[in-house]
């Protein structure tokens, strides 16, 4: 294996930084990450040495995963020990054909402003109340947010609770 020169390391760091900033910008603008022709015959190919592929889906997903972890950490720090509301919705992802659940937190920040933040999207095996509750507890627990601090709940999938003959208030 050939060691990189300090100049090559600096160039790779610069390319990676530019990639991260581009992904952040695209996410803030709600734009797709892919979509242009980057095949071997395209004029739109990434110009990088050897096998470096900063636009590969795996690299982009890895960067998005790191950014999303940082956002969740920041949100959970902002909530801290304060009371919060939980908003949950479930739907089937039409591309992967998997059930998924979104978790949104509503809370008052340190400056007194009401915030509503998308906290996580979780793939679930089914959308029964028991499964949803288990996954909600897992997500909140990983981020040191506690059920005892929930002061309100909203579930768009209330018909699922009725179909299963359960109370939609999963925690109270």
């Amino acid at each position: 294996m050939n060691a990189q020169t300090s100049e090559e390391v600096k160039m790779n760091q610069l390319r990676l930084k530019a990639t991260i900033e581009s992904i952040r910008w695209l996410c803030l603008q709600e734009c797709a990450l892919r979509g242009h022709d980057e095949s071997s015959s395209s004029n739109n190919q990434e110009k990088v040495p050897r096998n470096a592929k900063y636009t590969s889906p795996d690299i982009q997903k890895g960067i998005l995963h790191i950014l999303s972890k940082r956002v969740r950490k920041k949100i959970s720090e902002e909530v801290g020990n304060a009371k919060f509301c939980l908003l949950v919705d479930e739907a089937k992802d039409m591309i992967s054909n998997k059930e998924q659940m979104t978790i949104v937190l509503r809370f008052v920040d340190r400056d007194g402003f009401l915030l509503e933040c998308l906290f996580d999207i979780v793939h679930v095996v089914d959308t029964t109340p028991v499964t949803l509750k288990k996954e909600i507890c897992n997500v909140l627990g990983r981020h040191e947010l506690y059920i005892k601090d929930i002061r309100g709940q909203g579930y768009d999938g209330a018909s699922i609770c009725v179909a299963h003959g359960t109370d939609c208030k999963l925690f109270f």
Side-chain angles (χ1 to χ4, degrees):
M1 186 166 139
N2 296 346
Q4 291 183 336
T5 66
S6 63
E7 184 64 29
E8 288 175 321
V9 169
K10 285 180 185 176
M11 286 305 296
N12 281 332
Q13 288 172 338
L14 181 62
R15 287 183 186 103
L16 186 57
K17 184 176 180 180
T19 300
I20 291 168
E21 289 304 313
S22 297
I23 291 172
R24 286 183 66 216
W25 185 87
L26 288 169
C27 289
L28 287 171
Q29 302 303 317
E30 298 180 11
C31 296
L33 298 181
R34 311 268 305 154
H36 293 286
D37 179 13
E38 295 175 16
S39 64
S40 59
S41 61
S42 171
N43 291 331
N44 194 32
Q45 287 182 29
E46 187 181 13
K47 309 237 185 314
V48 294
R50 293 191 289 254
N51 63 350
K53 284 291 182 187
Y54 299 107
T55 60
S56 77
D58 290 338
I59 297 295
Q60 290 175 349
K61 286 177 187 175
I63 292 169
L64 286 172
H65 181 72
I66 291 167
L67 292 174
S68 66
K69 281 177 63 173
R70 291 179 67 187
V71 167
R72 278 192 292 276
K73 182 177 185 214
K74 180 77 172 157
I75 293 169
S76 63
E77 287 172 356
E78 184 73 27
V79 173
N81 293 329
K83 308 307 178 202
F84 61 94
C85 294
L86 184 70
L87 304 169
V88 177
D89 193 9
E90 43 72 32
K92 185 174 277 199
D93 180 353
M94 295 302 175
I95 295 171
S96 69
N97 206 30
K98 294 180 180 177
E99 294 289 347
Q100 60 186 14
M101 168 180 66
T102 57
I103 299 174
V104 174
L105 300 182
R106 181 183 289 167
F107 60 97
V108 177
D109 73 3
R110 292 182 178 105
D111 298 321
F113 292 101
L114 181 64
L115 298 178
E116 197 169 280
C117 301
L118 173 64
F119 193 67
D120 209 346
I121 299 174
V122 182
H123 287 285
V124 292
V125 293
D126 58 54
T127 56
T128 62
V130 172
T131 300
L132 298 181
K133 179 180 179 180
K134 178 180 164 230
E135 293 299 331
I136 291 167
C137 290
N138 288 342
V139 168
L140 295 179
R142 276 195 304 272
H143 301 283
E144 298 180 4
L145 296 169
Y146 301 104
I147 302 280
K148 67 178 180 62
D149 292 326
I150 295 176
R151 289 299 179 263
Q153 302 173 71
Y155 302 92
D156 191 35
S159 60
I160 289 175
C161 295
V162 172
H164 287 85
T166 61
D167 184 2
C168 285
K169 296 192 183 297
L170 298 177
F171 302 109
F172 300 128

